[in-house]
Amino acid sequence: EVQLVESGGGLVQAGGSLRLSCAASGFTFDDYAIAWFRQAPGKEREGVSCISSSDGSTYYADSVKGRFTIFRDNAKNTVYLQMNSLKPEDTADYYCARAYYYCSGYGSQYDYWGQGTQVTVSS
């Protein structure tokens, strides 16, 4: 059974940091790109970052460039999202999802999603 389980969310003050984890199981982790998406209340889901399966290429939304870092540990079947200099506008539910091999800008290309972890940044 394919599973993606997020953890690491919480409440943090503006300027603080959090590290989210996405633990995967039930599939060949090395073959899949893993992305982070987020959805704030009343807003559409947006892509935050993605890391490919092959060469580890990374992609970031403009709103998080320079503040967030995505990386993967294939030995642990886990992808991390290090979030620094957090802002109140980063408040959202964060989800990880998988796509075969390459990152995609389209949510429809991701076939399995985790249940999400909540991030709240206070001002």
Side-chain angles (χ1 to χ4, degrees):
E1 178 187 7
V2 174
Q3 284 194 318
L4 296 169
V5 180
E6 302 95 337
S7 62
L11 173 63
V12 64
Q13 287 189 331
S17 298
L18 284 173
R19 178 178 290 186
L20 305 184
S21 299
C22 173
S25 61
F27 62 98
T28 305
F29 184 71
D30 296 14
D31 287 347
Y32 285 83
I34 302 293
W36 287 94
F37 292 81
R38 67 186 181 186
Q39 187 164 21
K43 295 189 176 181
E44 290 189 357
R45 183 181 65 197
E46 66 169 330
V48 175
S49 183
C50 184
I51 185 165
S52 71
S53 66
S54 54
D55 59 1
S57 296
T58 58
Y59 304 88
Y60 298 94
D62 288 343
S63 58
V64 306
K65 277 181 184 175
R67 300 188 298 122
F68 290 11
T69 303
I70 190 170
F71 57 101
R72 64 192 295 157
D73 184 340
N74 286 348
K76 295 183 177 180
N77 285 6
T78 302
V79 168
Y80 303 92
L81 185 68
Q82 178 67 42
M83 307 188 297
N84 298 330
S85 303
L86 282 162
K87 304 175 180 180
E89 50 263 45
D90 295 317
T91 295
D93 291 326
Y94 284 71
Y95 301 88
C96 63
R98 73 166 199 179
Y100 186 67
Y101 228 73
Y102 300 109
C103 291
S104 171
Y106 298 97
S108 60
Q109 295 300 306
Y110 296 84
D111 60 353
Y112 278 90
W113 296 71
Q115 294 301 303
T117 186
Q118 188 173 57
V119 172
T120 303
V121 184
S122 63
S123 56

